[in-house]
Amino acid sequence: VRLANAGGRAALLLDDEIADIATVSDGKFGPDLMQIYDAWPAFADWAAGAHAGTGPLVHGDLGCPVPAPRQIFAIGINYREHAEETTSAVSEVPTTFTKFASCLAGPYDNIDTTPGTTDWEVELVAVIGLPARNVHESEAWDVVAGLTIGQDISDRALQLAAGGQYSLGKSRPGYGPLGPYVVSLDEISNPDDLAIGCAIDGETMQEARTSQLIVTVPQLIAELSGVLPLSPGDIIFTGTPGGVGIARTPQRFLKPGQVLESWIEDIGTLRNPCI
Ligand code: ZN
C-alpha cells in the first residue's frame, strides 16, 4: 500500500494513477487521512484488493500524508556520525522532543528559510497503525502502518537559544515536509536497512543507511510506548545521519532559490524549494 494525500483526500497510489479511497470503497474508508490510520488493519486488507484507479497521479496535488497526528515524536542524536559532528554524547535513553503539528507540510511544499540559520535533516519517519502501550521490541513492527520520508528542518539559532529549545526551533511553518506517500512494510525490501540521503541542487549533503540507527525503530517504539500510549497516526522522526549544515566547515544553510531533495530507498523523494 502506498497512501497519499491527493488534494486533501486519501488516495492509493497505483503505478501512475491514484485511486480516491472514499470513491472506490463506497465511503467505507476516507476521504480523511487520519481516519484511515484509525482503521489501519481493516484498511490495509481492503487496499490489498484495490486495483482500479480513478485518475492520474498529479505530483503537485500531493499534500502531507499524515496531516493531523495526535502526537509527533522526534529523536535527536541517533546516528554516530551525527553525534560526532555535533560533539554530542550518545545517551542511554533516546533524546526525544516534538515538532508542533502546524509545521507539517507536503512533499513538494516550499521551505521558508531564515538567512544563515535554516538547516536540513533527512529522516526515516514511522507512522503508527495500532494503539500501542508497553510494546516489546520483537513485536514493534506489528504496530507500524508504514514508513515515509521526513525533513526535520531546523532553525539552528532558535533551536539553540535559551539553552536549547528543540521543539520550537524545528516547528516554523513548513519545517516538517513529509511524504510523498506512506508505504506499508510489505512494499519495503528491508525496513531495518534502507538507503537515506538528501541533496541541495543535486549536491549530496547526507548519505547513509537506516541500519546505522543507534536506537532502531522497534527499540524506539518499545521505549516510547513504555512511557506513554501511542495512537494510530502518531509519527516518529527517527533522527538524522551526519552531514547537516551547521556541522560543516564552513557552515552551510539553506538559501532561497535552492531545492532540497530528500530520498529513502523503496519510499521515494521529497522535493522542497527554498524561498
Ligand atoms: Zn532531527
Side-chain angles (χ1 to χ4, degrees):
V1 174
R2 297 171 93 80
L3 176 63
N5 173 346
R9 295 174 66 88
L12 279 176
L13 186 74
L14 305 166
D15 299 319
D16 292 335
E17 283 197 314
I18 57 152
D20 182 83
I21 290 167
T23 304
V24 177
S25 71
D26 288 327
K28 189 169 184 209
F29 302 106
D32 177 48
L33 268 296
M34 300 314 297
Q35 182 255 3
I36 302 264
Y37 300 110
D38 281 337
W40 186 262
F43 167 75
D45 278 353
W46 170 82
H51 300 295
T54 54
L57 169 65
V58 180
H59 284 279
D61 284 350
L62 295 185
C64 180
V66 195
R70 292 178 181 87
Q71 305 184 98
I72 302 170
F73 303 92
I75 307 300
I77 311 303
N78 206 12
Y79 289 81
R80 293 208 184 275
E81 233 182 90
H82 184 56
E84 285 162 17
E85 73 180 358
T86 55
T87 61
S88 304
V90 176
S91 55
E92 298 254 314
V93 177
T95 308
T96 309
F97 56 95
T98 192
K99 285 172 79 74
F100 297 112
S102 61
C103 80
L104 293 178
Y108 311 117
D109 285 353
N110 291 332
I111 299 168
D112 196 353
T113 58
T114 305
T117 183
T118 306
D119 205 348
W120 55 86
E121 293 193 355
V122 64
E123 306 197 7
L124 177 71
V125 172
V127 185
I128 300 297
L130 280 175
R133 181 77 169 122
N134 295 318
V135 177
H136 191 269
E137 183 188 331
S138 64
E139 290 169 351
W141 278 123
D142 297 344
V143 305
V144 174
L147 297 173
T148 191
I149 310 165
Q151 258 290 351
D152 179 19
I153 300 291
S154 306
D155 177 335
R156 298 300 188 195
L158 187 56
Q159 176 189 339
L160 300 172
Q165 44 182 4
Y166 280 48
S167 299
L168 199 61
K170 291 161 170 275
S171 293
R172 289 192 186 278
Y175 276 28
L178 216 65
Y181 333 101
V182 172
V183 181
S184 60
L185 299 180
D186 57 302
E187 296 209 19
I188 291 177
S189 49
N190 180 356
D192 293 299
D193 183 24
L194 298 167
I196 179 171
C198 74
I200 297 172
D201 293 338
E203 182 188 353
T204 298
M205 292 291 147
Q206 296 184 280
E207 197 166 33
R209 300 197 68 86
T210 61
S211 52
Q212 295 167 311
L213 281 165
I214 296 168
V215 185
T216 65
V217 173
Q219 287 168 342
L220 285 173
I221 289 168
E223 194 72 52
L224 292 170
S225 75
V227 176
L228 44 69
L230 305 182
S231 295
D234 283 359
I235 57 178
I236 306 171
F237 283 74
T238 58
T240 200
V244 297
I246 195 174
R248 291 172 177 267
T249 312
Q251 292 183 334
R252 286 180 64 168
F253 297 100
L254 293 169
K255 292 183 192 147
Q258 293 179 329
V259 175
L260 178 64
E261 285 192 309
S262 313
W263 60 85
I264 296 179
E265 181 181 4
D266 290 348
I267 301 176
T269 303
L270 304 178
R271 190 171 191 279
N272 301 105
C274 299
I275 60 168

